[in-house]
Amino acid sequence: MKNWNKYPLFLILLVSGLLITGAGYAGEHTIYASYSKQDGWMTPGLSLVFQGWKDGVYPWELFTRETSPAMAGAQNEGEEETAFAEETVQESIPAAEEAADAGGETTVSDNSQKQADGVSENSAAPEVLDGSSMVSANTAQPKYDKFGQLIQGEAPEQQTQQIPMQIPGTDSVSGNQGTEVSGGQETAESQQTEAGEETAQDGLAEEENKTYAFTQVDESYFDDALFIGDSRTVGLDEYAGFDDKVTFYAATSLTIYNVFDSPKKVAQLEDGTKVTIEEALSQKQFGKIYIMLGINELGRGTTESFFTVYANAVNRIRQLQPDAIIYVQGIMRVSGEKSRTDKIFNNENINARNAALAAMANNQDIFYLEVNDAVSDANGDLVTEYTFDQIHLKAKYYQLWKNYLLGHAVVRD
């Protein structure tokens, strides 16, 4: 002990290193899950903590989170998650090369066929009218069905202010009201007026309910596009060869729960100022917005709660960007080996959540993109050769993702 007293700095460094390493291993399946197992080797616990620190994920979050991802992941194995998973149809996915090379026009119904039985394209999702009423992961919620609809108890105050996640106006259009004159006889003039009103109203209803099909576009389509996402979207930005006109608001460990208030301000304005994504969306308008979030959230909450928070976020974006086409991209799957050995980060959980996300699409201003078609093998797993850590793509394969987006674009009149 006397010898240790001669080297107090060394002792402090040793103890600190042990504590940090312990925190890293304690959180490798929770707050540091997205940093684990790089290049086939387990990342040292010390490295996990420092990587997380860089992205605003701090060790004390192991104790400050109300519900840890590990506990939430265990809940996913409960009865509600099992019942939902049993309804999900597992379909084989075409080879990645075939999907990447596919061109021409693809109808939106192609994607809807891959949804689970019982998933309706017209499923209503709640729309928040005030950004301050955004559903919080730490707020007690009433019971919802598997797509986030209230099924028990009265809705909280913010729920009463929500409207269905569909373009409003359809139900209010009516062309059946006649104009009566004295004696119950309709004049020729009133009949003509009624016919004209019916035609105008029918045309308005048809325009409001118009849906669009996917088509092939060139890269200029992305000139007014914004990509929001986590580390996978960071890779898309760095390796897919997008033009400088394309905007990316992406950061490692970004989730649907903190997309508007991430501790790390990931949006940058034209003057170089760093702001939150919500602040940036309030200042600049985009023509298309692509969202890829969900892999980091697998250990948190249930499919139902994930859907509710995601739907609120999408609706908030719609309010801030009323003219934008919103693309909800399915969560990219993991490799077969990762899926078979991980209780949380596996393709069964991913498929269940993707089926819920697909239900958001109204095919008018919100569209679902099954990007897994571009990078999955015949078993529906991320192609092993395409990934360096069983989760993220190798640099050269981000082009497959980009090619898929080019072949699945919407051009509105």
Side-chain angles (χ1 to χ4, degrees):
M1 190 66 181
K2 293 180 179 180
N3 292 333
W4 286 110
N5 292 334
K6 295 180 181 179
Y7 308 101
L9 181 59
F10 177 77
L11 181 61
I12 292 174
L13 291 175
L14 178 62
V15 173
S16 300
L18 291 174
L19 290 174
I20 294 174
T21 300
Y25 285 124
E28 66 177 333
H29 296 301
T30 55
I31 63 174
Y32 301 122
S34 61
Y35 303 102
S36 300
K37 205 168 186 179
Q38 303 291 324
D39 295 313
W41 296 90
M42 292 304 295
T43 304
L46 190 69
S47 176
L48 291 175
V49 175
F50 284 116
Q51 289 184 62
W53 195 290
K54 180 184 67 174
D55 296 319
V57 181
Y58 305 109
W60 49 83
E61 291 186 24
L62 285 167
F63 311 101
T64 58
R65 287 191 178 183
E66 182 176 337
T67 303
S68 70
M71 293 174 62
Q75 294 175 359
N76 285 347
E77 298 175 5
E79 294 181 359
E80 292 182 345
E81 187 70 8
T82 301
F84 179 71
E86 287 176 352
E87 294 179 2
T88 305
V89 177
Q90 304 295 331
E91 295 188 359
S92 298
I93 308 299
E97 289 82 359
E98 295 179 2
D101 294 335
E105 180 172 302
T106 306
T107 61
V108 177
S109 60
D110 293 338
N111 283 329
S112 62
Q113 293 176 355
K114 296 177 183 177
Q115 300 175 21
D117 290 341
V119 176
S120 170
E121 288 184 324
N122 295 322
S123 296
E127 179 166 7
V128 178
L129 296 182
D130 184 352
S132 63
S133 9
M134 187 76 63
V135 174
S136 168
N138 296 324
T139 304
Q141 298 294 318
K143 290 187 178 181
Y144 294 88
D145 64 18
K146 64 185 179 183
F147 294 124
Q149 302 303 304
L150 186 68
I151 58 176
Q152 181 174 333
E154 295 183 358
E157 182 176 354
Q158 70 263 26
Q159 295 291 336
T160 61
Q161 299 177 349
Q162 296 172 354
I163 61 176
M165 192 179 182
Q166 292 185 1
I167 297 178
T170 303
D171 294 337
S172 63
V173 176
S174 173
N176 297 323
Q177 296 179 357
T179 302
E180 295 187 359
V181 295
S182 177
Q185 300 296 323
E186 293 183 339
T187 66
E189 182 179 354
S190 67
Q191 291 175 348
Q192 292 175 356
T193 301
E194 179 185 353
E197 290 177 351
E198 270 192 34
T199 302
Q201 290 173 341
D202 289 344
L204 177 61
E206 183 178 352
E207 181 65 25
E208 289 179 338
N209 289 292
K210 183 177 181 179
T211 58
Y212 298 86
F214 292 133
T215 187
Q216 183 80 32
V217 295
D218 58 35
E219 293 199 28
S220 65
Y221 183 80
F222 299 125
D223 287 351
D224 61 349
L226 166 66
F227 288 81
I228 299 175
D230 49 37
S231 56
R232 287 165 158 178
T233 302
V234 172
L236 187 69
D237 179 21
E238 293 177 347
Y239 304 116
F242 280 97
D243 189 272
D244 291 339
K245 296 179 182 179
V246 186
T247 304
F248 283 83
Y249 296 160
T252 302
S253 298
L254 191 68
T255 71
I256 198 65
Y257 297 101
N258 67 8
V259 65
F260 293 123
D261 58 355
S262 173
K264 181 179 180 181
K265 293 183 177 180
V266 301
Q268 181 172 313
L269 302 179
E270 294 181 358
D271 62 1
T273 305
K274 290 291 187 70
V275 297
T276 65
I277 291 178
E278 184 165 17
E279 291 171 334
L281 291 175
S282 301
Q283 298 189 40
K284 181 179 179 180
Q285 294 295 305
F286 297 92
K288 305 98 185 177
I289 298 178
Y290 293 83
I291 307 171
M292 166 65 86
L293 292 168
I295 187 67
N296 296 317
E297 297 89 319
L298 285 179
R300 184 172 181 177
T302 64
T303 297
E304 297 90 332
S305 63
F306 171 75
F307 172 86
T308 301
V309 177
Y310 204 121
N312 285 337
V314 169
N315 278 301
R316 181 58 180 153
I317 293 174
R318 290 174 78 202
Q319 294 163 10
L320 297 171
Q321 301 282 319
D323 298 323
I325 299 172
I326 299 177
Y327 294 100
V328 175
Q329 301 178 88
I331 306 167
M332 193 176 292
R333 301 190 188 105
V334 299
S335 69
E337 179 184 352
K338 178 73 172 177
S339 183
R340 290 188 295 271
T341 58
D342 199 305
K343 293 182 179 180
I344 296 176
F345 295 90
N346 58 64
N347 291 333
E348 182 179 0
N349 287 340
I350 291 175
N351 290 339
R353 296 197 174 195
N354 279 350
L357 293 182
M360 291 186 189
N362 59 22
N363 303 328
Q364 295 171 327
D365 64 340
I366 301 175
F367 299 84
Y368 176 75
L369 297 177
E370 186 52 271
V371 297
N372 285 295
D373 288 357
V375 294
S376 295
D377 58 25
N379 296 320
D381 303 320
L382 179 62
V383 178
T384 303
E385 291 75 16
Y386 291 176
T387 176
F388 64 89
D389 64 352
Q390 304 188 69
I391 298 176
H392 299 85
L393 294 174
K394 293 179 181 177
K396 63 181 179 180
Y397 293 111
Y398 278 98
Q399 187 64 45
L400 295 175
W401 183 356
K402 180 181 179 181
N403 289 345
Y404 177 87
L405 299 182
L406 287 169
H408 293 76
V410 171
V411 178
R412 296 190 297 197
D413 299 334

